[in-house]
Amino acid sequence: MDNNKKQSASGKAAADSKKRKEAPLNQNQQGKESRPPARPQKRVKFQDARNIRSQPSDAALDDGKLDLQKFLSAREFEIKALETSMRKCKSANATRVFQQVPREMRRRTASHNAKRVPKRLRDRAKREMMEDNTPTVEARKRRPRTTRARIRAENAKRLEKLAARKRKRALQNEAGGENKDEPGKTTIQTRAPRPKIRRDTLNEPPKPKSKFKKRQINKTWLPTHLWHAKRATMTEPTKPLWRFAIPLTPTQKCYRPTHRASGQKGTVFWDTSYMSTARLYGAAGGIEQVLKALGLVQESLWGNRGRKWRSGTRTWSGMVSRRQRNSRRDIGPATILWNPTLTAETAAPESNTTELKKTQRQILIRTHPSCFLELFDELVKLAKLQTPQVHIEDLRFEIGSIELTGPGSTETLLAVLKPYHTEDRHGQVFSSLVGVTNPASLPKDAVLGFSIKDPRLSYPPKRVDTTSKVSDSALLDTLTQWPVEEQVKPYGLFDRDVRFKASSLAPQKSINRRKGASIPGQEMPVTAADPPIPVIAFASRPAAGGQAQGTWTLLAPWKCILPIWYSIVHYPLSTGGNPRLGGLNEQRQIAFEQGTTWFPGDFPGTNAGVVWEMEQRAQRKKAWDRRPKGKRIEWASLDLGAGRKGEIGDGLACDFEHLFGLPTDPSPSSSEDQLTSDVDPNAMDLHPGEEAEDAAKLGKVHKNTVPSLTMVEQMKKTDFQALISSVNPGRPPPRSIISVNITFVTRGVANACARIYRLPSRPSATTTVQSSETEVPATDPVAAGMGSLPADLRDQWLQKIPGNKSGSRSTKAITAHAAPHMSRDVGQGTRKQLMAKSLVSGDPLPYPRPTANQTDIGGGHPLCPGEEDLIGFVTAGAYSLSGGKGTAVGAISAEKAFDMVKESGTKEGRLCIVRNAGENVGWLARWELV
């Protein structure tokens, strides 16, 4: 019994020791009872702080006369009382210091650790914790409680000693530049080796530091990876995306702030160094033949209109393709930039064409990493066919990039990028862009190439004065004339030696020492230790056009991205706040709100789009399997109305195999490991579309990828428009799809994998058959709705268009047969009279009564069309904040879309019906080409 009491007492004492201890009592409180609860005390404290004492006016009167001295004393007392109340209110604030930190800067343990709040608030945080007796823990005095923690502490001490020895040895070697073992002999100073760039082969990623080497076995880190790892959700360590560790989205909620920053005020920026870059160099004629083989055959590129592009002052962006038997298959989007040269082409375009084609030229090809291996393989094959041969270099890890969009993007770049040479024409034009709030206002695909100073010399960046530097008329003249074609020089970013010198930046400690020795607030001067950093900045417009924001793309050496990044992050915008971080999801969001496609998710007709679609199918299948059976959709039991059961195709996929009648092996819902186990990600000579087509003809299954989905081809917008406008048009290629932007007419929000239908066709003239024996026409039972769709289903959907007054026959019939609304106090006799009147008047009600969802959905919503009217699928859909309604991006069959426009015209032929997978209600929408 005594042992139990001792154990309970010891347990209670241990529990009490973990609780927050009471604050020490004053001398007046010693021996008294414990203090009362804190809440009433705090309420009295606030009331006392907000109570301002004053004196009545009678105190200043002496026998009815005003005593001036007493009056001034009374006012002095009131002023002091007001000041005292203000001080008390400030000190008795209800919020703690960690609650005043902005939401994006808050940390989970900020209320217990003063180091978790910004430096400017740490003193106040320590004072509050001391007053409140908050238990705090110092890392230095905390003893390890577990074996693992003890081993880590011991290893930390050993590493600290090793680091101290290394620093001491480095200081000894630097002193005097002499060898300490042999005093009379000086050591040889060598430069750092340049990274190897192989010709016509892929290059290896940069070697990481030893302590990060194990984390980059299967992937490569971006230059800003360590900065992103604390502020964004990254891809899984064992599942990199396109061989990179890519930030997916910031850790804080940012959907609406991203929408505002990209269109209203502010800016959004990304580290897009994962975008792949290649350099093609050789004779100008050979480069031209290679580009034409990639699909750049427009006359506007190789004629007089393309002179600015070939001179290097404009970029070209579009889809590149490769030949596949009798057709062409898209590879992916690419941006191509020529390096300017002081040749006869720039000075006199009418000169000898043969001499120009022999001139040595260079181009940069920037493409998406998901299709880079396919494009690189195609470039190597095409380059070997040229005479003299053209060569290609892999610059994926030599050139990084940053993208910015939003009204404050130009302002941010102006504050960060300071031209190194003041006489550089491109640098002068860039510095004159103060006041530009939309990069799309610049000439289309404009390019500026110059060298900048190290951004760390002017860190932190100062706010740009957007009011007094450049007048509106001068800015308008610059944008209209764009004087960069004269005196154009080769861009330094193409030169390997210039990139290497720019990458050899001074260490941060050296910058800190120089900053400490200089005058505070002044920009540090440039010295010989600060090499110029070559950059190329080009502005692009969204494909949707209109008033949408453009995008700045900044190309710079790989190792120079991080200093530029820090300056962009901490730039104070003139509209308030700082630029907002964006991830891969924010890129998709902005592209979706602008009504444009995003590669590779919205391009299922490319090999990269096929891989993305199969990965998404595996993820959806995995999430569907995790849900309990009672909370997941059963695709086989879905009621689509008119006796139709089951989802069309695979509900977890954009099932183009079902749309075009292609084989579905392997199963779309197979796991991701089964889909990619036999695929070599570094394979360069695979064309799965051709091999899949051969396998399909022989009845075999291709081992490397899904054979049927690679047979779907992507058709360009210009090619489809040419077919529509042609007098004697042909037919679109079989199994071809086009990308469309879908806008709902009234209500509705689409999700990924939603089904897109065309309007059902009207019944033909043979539907109604005249009987020879009777005068009443006999109706075809199929068209009458007996186990089939209503005959006037198209009219029912057209009735959903706002402003369409012509009611359909079925809607009028439903309204006529609807029972009149009666209140509860209506008598039984009145009810019988109204029922008899409804039975006598109008058409007789159908008998037996139709089952649910037989003629409509939910008592008034039209049925979705049949499987024969399925034309495509939604690849991305949600409620658009920019449009204020539901929108979507999808892909539809080019053949069916061609027939719709030719039969019903441009207005009615672009109407469609969108139904989410697993639902039986469709919504009327309109599609436009993207």
Side-chain angles (χ1 to χ4, degrees):
M1 192 69 179
D2 295 338
N3 294 335
N4 295 336
K5 288 183 179 181
K6 290 181 181 179
Q7 291 178 359
S8 61
S10 62
K12 184 177 181 181
D16 292 341
S17 62
K18 295 182 180 180
K19 294 182 180 180
R20 179 178 296 186
K21 299 179 181 179
E22 300 292 343
L25 300 177
N26 298 333
Q27 294 181 359
N28 299 333
Q29 295 176 337
Q30 295 292 341
K32 298 182 180 180
E33 297 180 358
S34 61
R35 60 182 181 182
R39 187 172 295 275
Q41 277 190 342
K42 188 175 293 185
R43 188 181 298 113
V44 173
K45 184 179 180 182
F46 290 156
Q47 291 177 355
D48 179 65
R50 294 166 183 170
N51 186 16
I52 303 176
R53 295 173 177 82
S54 62
Q55 286 186 353
S57 58
D58 297 341
L61 298 177
D62 188 7
D63 295 336
K65 296 180 182 181
L66 180 64
D67 190 345
L68 184 59
Q69 187 64 31
K70 292 182 179 180
F71 178 78
L72 293 177
S73 301
R75 302 291 79 77
E76 181 184 3
F77 174 78
E78 292 177 355
I79 292 173
K80 290 183 178 179
L82 176 62
E83 293 176 349
T84 304
S85 177
M86 292 171 62
R87 287 195 301 267
K88 287 184 177 181
C89 285
K90 187 176 181 180
S91 61
N93 193 5
T95 58
R96 298 286 296 269
V97 63
F98 67 89
Q99 294 173 325
Q100 295 182 351
V101 181
R103 188 171 297 274
E104 61 269 12
M105 296 177 62
R106 293 188 183 179
R107 299 295 180 264
R108 183 175 58 86
T109 58
S111 60
H112 297 277
N113 191 349
K115 293 184 179 180
R116 297 281 184 174
V117 297
K119 290 183 179 179
R120 58 185 175 84
L121 299 174
R122 287 181 184 175
D123 293 339
R124 182 180 166 189
K126 292 179 181 178
R127 186 171 61 253
E128 288 181 353
M129 292 180 185
M130 189 179 300
E131 293 175 355
D132 195 37
N133 198 27
T134 302
T136 59
V137 176
E138 293 186 13
R140 300 177 183 176
K141 299 180 180 180
R142 182 174 56 188
R143 297 181 60 183
R145 298 182 180 179
T146 61
T147 305
R148 183 178 181 182
R150 180 178 55 79
I151 294 174
R152 292 185 63 181
E154 292 176 356
N155 290 337
K157 289 182 179 179
R158 293 196 194 98
L159 291 175
E160 187 177 356
K161 293 179 180 179
L162 291 174
R165 293 177 186 173
K166 187 176 181 181
R167 286 194 298 267
K168 184 178 179 180
R169 192 181 302 113
L171 291 174
Q172 292 176 355
N173 294 335
E174 289 179 1
E178 295 185 355
N179 194 344
K180 299 302 175 182
D181 298 333
E182 300 179 13
K185 188 177 180 181
T186 59
T187 58
I188 299 176
Q189 301 294 333
T190 59
R191 64 168 177 83
R194 293 189 308 177
K196 293 183 179 180
I197 300 179
R198 300 181 179 90
R199 194 170 63 178
D200 300 331
T201 55
L202 293 174
N203 283 322
E204 297 293 334
K207 292 184 179 180
K209 295 181 179 179
S210 57
K211 61 179 178 180
F212 300 135
K213 201 169 185 179
K214 290 185 178 180
R215 308 185 198 178
Q216 302 183 55
I217 296 177
N218 301 322
K219 58 183 177 296
T220 303
W221 283 1
L222 299 180
T224 58
H225 176 83
L226 294 179
W227 188 92
H228 275 102
K230 297 182 179 181
R231 298 166 179 88
T233 301
M234 310 294 292
T235 53
E236 296 184 24
T238 57
K239 296 180 181 179
L241 190 60
W242 310 313
R243 303 169 298 278
F244 284 95
I246 297 178
L248 300 178
T249 184
T251 52
Q252 58 179 340
K253 295 181 180 179
C254 59
Y255 191 86
R256 289 182 181 271
T258 299
H259 163 71
R260 298 189 190 101
S262 62
Q264 298 175 6
K265 68 172 187 177
T267 181
V268 185
F269 64 105
W270 301 268
D271 182 4
T272 55
S273 298
Y274 57 85
M275 296 292 288
S276 303
T277 307
R279 184 173 77 102
L280 192 66
Y281 63 96
I287 295 177
E288 179 180 345
Q289 294 300 322
V290 171
L291 294 181
K292 287 183 177 180
L294 291 177
L296 280 73
V297 295
Q298 298 90 338
E299 291 294 333
S300 59
L301 296 178
W302 308 108
N304 192 28
R305 293 178 57 188
R307 184 172 59 88
K308 292 183 179 180
W309 172 60
R310 296 194 304 274
S311 65
T313 57
R314 297 289 189 275
T315 61
W316 178 89
S317 298
M319 295 290 292
V320 293
S321 58
R322 59 178 175 84
R323 177 165 293 279
Q324 180 176 289
R325 294 190 177 173
N326 298 327
S327 62
R328 300 192 64 86
R329 182 172 180 82
D330 286 346
I331 297 177
T335 300
I336 299 177
L337 173 64
W338 290 79
N339 188 23
T341 56
L342 299 176
T343 59
E345 182 180 4
T346 306
E350 301 85 5
S351 58
N352 191 0
T353 308
T354 306
E355 295 295 332
L356 293 179
K357 289 188 176 181
K358 293 182 179 180
T359 308
Q360 296 295 313
R361 299 295 304 273
Q362 305 176 63
I363 63 171
L364 281 183
I365 302 178
R366 185 172 182 265
T367 186
H368 199 272
S370 61
C371 63
F372 174 75
L373 299 180
E374 182 182 0
L375 177 60
F376 191 87
D377 179 41
E378 189 70 17
L379 284 172
V380 170
K381 291 199 304 185
L382 294 174
K384 290 181 179 179
L385 299 177
Q386 308 305 318
T387 304
Q389 185 177 350
V390 178
H391 297 286
I392 183 172
E393 290 180 350
D394 177 16
L395 302 182
R396 287 179 296 171
F397 310 108
E398 283 282 309
I399 298 178
S401 60
I402 298 175
E403 290 188 1
L404 301 92
T405 186
S409 56
T410 308
E411 175 192 348
T412 304
L413 287 180
L414 287 172
V416 175
L417 307 182
K418 303 294 183 181
Y420 194 90
H421 305 288
T422 56
E423 68 277 2
D424 192 349
R425 186 58 179 167
H426 282 220
Q428 294 174 358
V429 173
F430 176 76
S431 301
S432 65
L433 297 179
V434 178
V436 175
T437 58
N438 190 350
S441 60
L442 272 67
K444 186 179 180 182
D445 302 325
V447 181
L448 293 172
F450 53 97
S451 298
I452 64 171
K453 303 176 184 177
D454 190 346
R456 298 176 297 173
L457 301 179
S458 57
Y459 180 88
K462 297 180 181 180
R463 182 173 297 172
V464 177
D465 186 6
T466 59
T467 57
S468 61
K469 249 191 175 181
V470 181
S471 61
D472 294 339
S473 59
L475 178 61
L476 185 60
D477 292 341
T478 302
L479 295 179
T480 52
Q481 298 176 5
W482 200 245
V484 297
E485 278 79 17
E486 304 110 9
Q487 302 176 359
V488 60
K489 299 179 181 178
Y491 298 141
L493 197 62
F494 283 79
D495 193 343
R496 178 183 179 185
D497 294 330
V498 175
R499 290 197 308 267
F500 175 71
K501 290 179 181 178
S503 300
S504 304
L505 296 174
Q508 185 63 42
K509 290 184 179 180
S510 174
I511 298 293
N512 294 340
R513 285 195 298 267
R514 291 167 55 187
K515 187 176 295 186
S518 61
I519 301 175
Q522 289 189 0
E523 185 176 340
M524 289 188 295
V526 179
T527 62
D530 303 318
I533 301 176
V535 297
I536 295 178
F538 58 89
S540 57
R541 298 178 181 177
Q547 300 296 326
Q549 280 285 333
T551 303
W552 276 107
T553 303
L554 179 67
L555 304 181
W558 180 275
K559 293 185 178 180
C560 300
I561 290 295
L562 190 60
I564 300 175
W565 181 266
Y566 280 132
S567 296
I568 292 177
V569 168
H570 299 108
Y571 172 68
L573 292 167
S574 59
T575 55
N578 301 98
R580 296 198 64 87
L581 170 66
L584 198 67
N585 295 349
E586 282 66 39
Q587 276 191 343
R588 299 193 66 181
Q589 174 190 345
I590 293 176
F592 167 74
E593 291 184 350
Q594 292 180 349
T596 59
T597 52
W598 177 79
F599 189 86
D602 297 329
F603 289 86
T606 61
N607 291 345
V610 169
V611 175
W612 178 269
E613 171 63 20
M614 300 311 298
E615 290 176 354
Q616 295 299 310
R617 291 183 186 183
Q619 291 179 11
R620 298 189 197 107
K621 182 65 168 57
K622 189 176 181 180
W624 186 83
D625 289 336
R626 285 200 305 263
R627 297 178 67 88
K629 289 188 176 181
K631 294 185 179 181
R632 65 188 184 190
I633 300 175
E634 293 296 336
W635 308 108
S637 60
L638 178 64
D639 185 9
L640 296 177
R644 298 172 296 176
K645 290 285 186 179
E647 183 58 84
I648 299 176
D650 187 0
L652 300 174
C654 297
D655 201 351
F656 289 99
E657 299 95 326
H658 183 86
L659 175 63
F660 294 111
L662 302 175
T664 58
D665 290 329
S667 175
S669 59
S670 60
S671 64
E672 185 180 0
D673 296 335
Q674 293 174 350
L675 291 172
T676 58
S677 59
D678 297 330
V679 180
D680 183 9
N682 296 322
M684 301 298 300
D685 55 349
L686 295 178
H687 296 310
E690 299 178 6
E691 300 182 14
E693 191 171 353
D694 295 338
K697 292 180 180 179
L698 298 175
K700 298 179 181 179
V701 177
H702 189 231
K703 66 177 182 178
N704 288 330
T705 184
V706 180
S708 54
L709 195 57
T710 54
M711 297 170 64
V712 179
E713 299 179 1
Q714 194 86 23
M715 190 174 183
K716 296 181 180 179
K717 174 183 177 181
T718 54
D719 297 341
F720 186 82
Q721 288 177 337
L723 283 178
I724 294 296
S725 59
S726 178
V727 179
N728 297 318
R731 296 284 300 174
R735 302 187 303 273
S736 61
I737 58 176
I738 53 175
S739 298
V740 294
N741 179 33
I742 299 172
T743 304
F744 287 89
V745 175
T746 54
R747 297 175 55 193
V749 175
N751 301 324
C753 302
R755 273 56 180 157
I756 306 175
Y757 299 89
R758 62 186 175 189
L759 290 179
S761 59
R762 290 187 174 89
S764 59
T766 58
T767 302
T768 303
V769 183
Q770 295 289 339
S771 176
S772 59
E773 300 180 358
T774 60
E775 296 181 359
V776 181
T779 306
D780 186 6
V782 177
M786 299 174 59
S788 182
L789 299 175
D792 58 346
L793 185 58
R794 185 185 183 93
D795 296 332
Q796 293 183 29
W797 280 109
L798 291 176
Q799 182 65 22
K800 295 290 183 180
I801 302 176
N804 193 350
K805 304 278 180 157
S806 58
S808 61
R809 183 173 59 86
S810 63
T811 306
K812 293 180 180 178
I814 293 173
T815 306
H817 295 316
H821 179 71
M822 292 179 291
S823 59
R824 295 184 178 181
D825 55 352
V826 177
Q828 189 70 19
T830 307
R831 290 177 179 272
K832 291 181 180 180
Q833 292 179 2
L834 293 175
M835 184 179 293
K837 185 177 179 181
S838 64
L839 292 174
V840 173
S841 63
D843 299 333
L845 293 173
Y847 184 81
R849 187 179 182 88
T851 59
N853 297 340
Q854 184 65 34
T855 58
D856 54 22
I857 301 294
H861 203 89
L863 294 174
C864 286
E867 185 176 349
E868 66 279 0
D869 293 321
L870 181 68
I871 60 173
F873 301 90
V874 170
T875 54
Y879 182 85
S880 176
L881 297 177
S882 59
K885 59 170 61 177
T887 58
V889 177
I892 61 176
S893 171
E895 291 183 298
K896 294 186 178 181
F898 178 81
D899 296 337
M900 291 162 54
V901 176
K902 284 297 182 181
E903 294 174 2
S904 305
T906 306
K907 186 176 181 181
E908 192 172 317
R910 294 181 183 272
L911 291 175
C912 62
I913 301 164
V914 181
R915 177 183 64 84
N916 287 324
E919 300 179 4
N920 56 5
V921 176
W923 303 96
L924 190 64
R926 189 181 302 274
W927 58 267
E928 297 290 341
L929 293 175
V930 178

